[in-house]
Amino acid sequence: MMSKQSQWKSSTGFILASAGSAIGLGAMWKFPYMAGMYGGGAFLLMFLIFTIVVGLPLLMMEFTVGKLGKTYTTVIYEKLTKKKWLNVIGWNGNLAVFILFGFYSVIGGWIIIYIFNVALQILTLNGNQLGSIQFESIISNPFLTITGQGIFILLTMLIVMMGVEKGLEKASKFMMPLLFIFLIVIVIKSLTLEGSFEGLKYILQPRLEEVSMEGVLFALGQSFFTLSLGTTGMITYASYASKEMTIKTSAISIVAMNILVSILAGLAIFPAISAFGYSPTEGPGLLFKVLPKVFDQMAFGQGFYLIFLILFLFAALTSSISLLELNVSNFTKNDNSKRKPVAFYVSILVFVISIPATLSFGSLGHIQFAAGTIFDNMDFLVSNILMPMGALGTTLVVGQLLDKNDLKAHFGKDKLRLFIPWYYLIKFILPIVIILIFVVQFI
């Protein structure tokens, strides 16, 4: 069982922290640039379908496993099934979040560098526009990017050392609502820019002729990525939850917030893209190139952009915290006395393995294979291989090996009689869907 110190104080804290884990960079940074590369409105439509039809049932499944198992994820499958070899599913998730934290820290480092640049503009009363910050020159500078990445990992490590209750619950309750409000302000400003209508059409109007098999695969990968599915991260969070935590309500709340923030991020970025003449296929730097231009159009734009970047940093941290937390939980075996040294050593390892990803935009940019740069390959490995593999393994365990009555007992009140369709979706349909996606992907 989990120790008393590692329990969530409230369902609200659990939902906000889980949503923070799920939303973070996935919705705000990755969704806009993936939508830009794979058809805008067509990608959004596919993402919505996959998130509701596949993502929501899988999230409910992972919450159920966490509540049933109440232990760390590298042994939870053995505890539930009495089959030790199934712990490989948990270790797959452990590997996924280890790599995921590595390339997440690259983006976290960019945010920190931008915070430093904007703060310096304000302190020195520099009248230059925010758009003068050169994204390409920043990400190609090895000293800047590695330093920023190291600071981001250090911040994550310190918060995880504080423990679940202190580090996650308090921070999430304060920062998530603030970020949401700020995002709405940016959307309003972006929509009022001259020439913004074409960008609005691009993200909201599905052009089915632009749907490709690659776009379908990446839309599914995005739904996994933004909900942290298949990493067993949500299983870890649910293992900290009280008996009163309702699986359906929590899962629906998190999916709804995830979809809403993804759409808002799209509405903030794409109208501004057409207004300022950028290409939607700018790639990972899209958010960092476009938003400074939007804030340049606001009164006190530098100050507001600095506040936004700080909130954006906290959104990134809520994601990275959950990634490090999973590794720490598995290696400490829920012994909180080991939390600090384990968090330290795992963070050092992540820092070392992520340096090549950081340099993918500079001195190692010439190294291209499979999905692209080293950074691209780390992203593809996690989003399109390890996450779906983890989700497939868990669906097979839940659908084929766990007792149906035990699952129903933890499902909660079921006035709408959702348990039966959910159960058979997990048991028969979703495993086939995931396997088919794998087959198509490798063909």
Side-chain angles (χ1 to χ4, degrees):
M1 296 292 289
M2 304 300 295
S3 65
K4 187 178 179 180
Q5 288 87 343
S6 293
Q7 295 287 322
W8 296 105
K9 277 186 175 179
S10 66
S11 293
T12 303
F14 169 78
I15 290 171
L16 286 174
S18 299
S21 162
I23 293 167
L25 293 179
M28 292 190 60
W29 160 71
K30 192 176 182 184
F31 174 80
Y33 97 76
M34 293 299 289
M37 293 179 70
Y38 296 104
F43 184 89
L44 173 60
L45 178 62
M46 292 184 292
F47 167 73
L48 291 174
I49 292 170
F50 283 132
T51 301
I52 294 167
V53 177
V54 178
L56 178 58
L58 291 179
L59 185 59
M60 291 165 64
M61 174 191 72
E62 294 201 357
F63 283 166
T64 304
V65 170
K67 285 193 73 178
L68 276 169
K70 286 285 182 185
T71 189
Y72 51 102
T73 57
T74 50
V75 297
I76 198 169
Y77 294 91
E78 178 185 1
K79 179 179 178 180
L80 293 174
T81 66
K82 312 302 180 189
K83 299 179 187 295
K84 189 172 183 178
W85 67 272
L86 288 174
N87 287 334
V88 69
I89 301 169
W91 284 108
N92 174 84
N94 212 68
L95 176 63
V97 294
F98 187 81
I99 299 171
L100 181 53
F101 186 20
F103 72 83
Y104 244 57
S105 65
V106 176
I107 313 304
W110 294 353
I111 300 170
I112 287 170
I113 296 166
Y114 264 68
I115 288 174
F116 175 79
N117 271 280
V118 177
L120 199 61
Q121 277 192 2
I122 294 170
L123 290 173
T124 59
L125 301 177
N126 190 328
N128 287 341
Q129 291 189 319
L130 294 167
S132 66
I133 300 173
Q134 294 298 312
F135 176 74
E136 281 79 10
S137 64
I138 287 174
I139 64 170
S140 62
N141 185 315
F143 174 77
L144 274 181
T145 51
I146 291 174
T147 301
Q149 176 193 44
I151 294 171
F152 182 80
I153 292 173
L154 177 65
L155 289 172
T156 304
M157 180 189 74
L158 292 175
I159 296 172
V160 169
M161 283 180 173
M162 292 168 63
V164 172
E165 183 181 304
K166 292 179 182 177
L168 297 179
E169 195 164 358
K170 288 183 179 179
S172 297
K173 282 183 176 179
F174 172 68
M175 284 145 199
M176 292 303 295
L178 262 182
L179 181 63
F180 179 74
I181 292 167
F182 235 78
L183 195 53
I184 291 174
V185 172
I186 297 168
V187 169
I188 293 169
K189 183 61 184 177
S190 186
L191 289 172
T192 59
L193 293 170
E194 186 178 349
S196 64
F197 185 67
E198 284 303 312
L200 185 64
K201 279 175 58 180
Y202 182 81
I203 189 59
L204 292 184
Q205 182 179 323
R207 293 166 300 283
L208 298 182
E209 66 275 10
E210 294 188 22
V211 174
S212 64
M213 184 51 66
E214 189 178 18
V216 171
L217 293 172
F218 278 98
L220 178 65
Q222 180 67 16
S223 69
F224 275 84
F225 190 91
T226 52
L227 292 174
S228 299
L229 295 171
T231 65
T232 65
M234 290 303 183
I235 294 176
T236 299
Y237 269 31
S239 72
Y240 294 145
S242 65
K243 290 181 179 179
E244 290 72 33
M245 189 273 283
T246 306
I247 288 171
K248 295 188 297 297
T249 304
S250 300
I252 291 170
S253 299
I254 290 163
V255 166
M257 282 189 276
N258 176 68
I259 289 174
L260 180 60
V261 173
S262 294
I263 291 173
L264 287 175
L267 293 177
I269 295 296
F270 288 99
I273 284 175
S274 63
F276 296 121
Y278 283 99
S279 166
T281 58
E282 291 280 346
L286 186 62
L287 190 77
F288 294 90
K289 294 178 181 179
V290 174
L291 282 190
K293 298 277 190 181
V294 177
F295 280 94
D296 268 336
Q297 304 296 312
M298 297 182 185
F300 309 107
Q302 287 178 324
F304 283 123
Y305 187 44
L306 180 62
I307 296 169
F308 170 77
L309 286 171
I310 292 169
L311 292 173
F312 189 31
L313 175 63
F314 280 114
L317 284 169
T318 56
S319 298
S320 63
I321 287 163
S322 69
L323 302 177
L324 181 56
E325 174 63 35
L326 178 58
N327 279 276
V328 169
S329 173
N330 288 334
F331 286 115
T332 60
K333 297 179 172 60
N334 302 323
D335 179 357
N336 282 339
S337 66
K338 298 177 182 177
R339 172 175 288 272
K340 290 183 179 180
V342 170
F344 176 78
Y345 289 119
V346 171
S347 298
I348 293 295
L349 282 173
V350 168
F351 177 66
V352 172
I353 69 111
S354 59
I355 288 176
T358 309
L359 299 178
S360 293
F361 300 90
S363 56
L364 298 183
H366 63 283
I367 300 177
Q368 301 268 336
F369 60 98
T373 63
I374 298 170
F375 178 92
D376 293 331
N377 277 281
M378 289 174 72
D379 186 354
F380 183 84
L381 175 62
V382 173
S383 302
N384 294 73
I385 298 177
L386 295 179
M387 282 182 164
M389 280 178 59
L392 175 61
T394 306
T395 57
L396 293 174
V397 166
V398 171
Q400 309 302 323
L401 299 177
L402 298 190
D403 183 78
K404 183 179 176 181
N405 292 325
D406 283 347
L407 294 170
K408 190 171 185 178
H410 283 78
F411 196 78
K413 294 179 181 179
D414 194 22
K415 293 180 181 179
L416 298 177
R417 299 185 180 181
L418 296 174
F419 175 77
I420 293 299
W422 171 79
Y423 177 74
Y424 286 108
L425 195 63
I426 296 295
K427 187 176 179 70
F428 296 115
I429 299 174
L430 290 186
I432 295 172
V433 170
I434 296 171
I435 290 169
L436 283 174
I437 292 293
F438 267 122
V439 171
V440 171
Q441 181 168 268
F442 288 108
I443 290 176

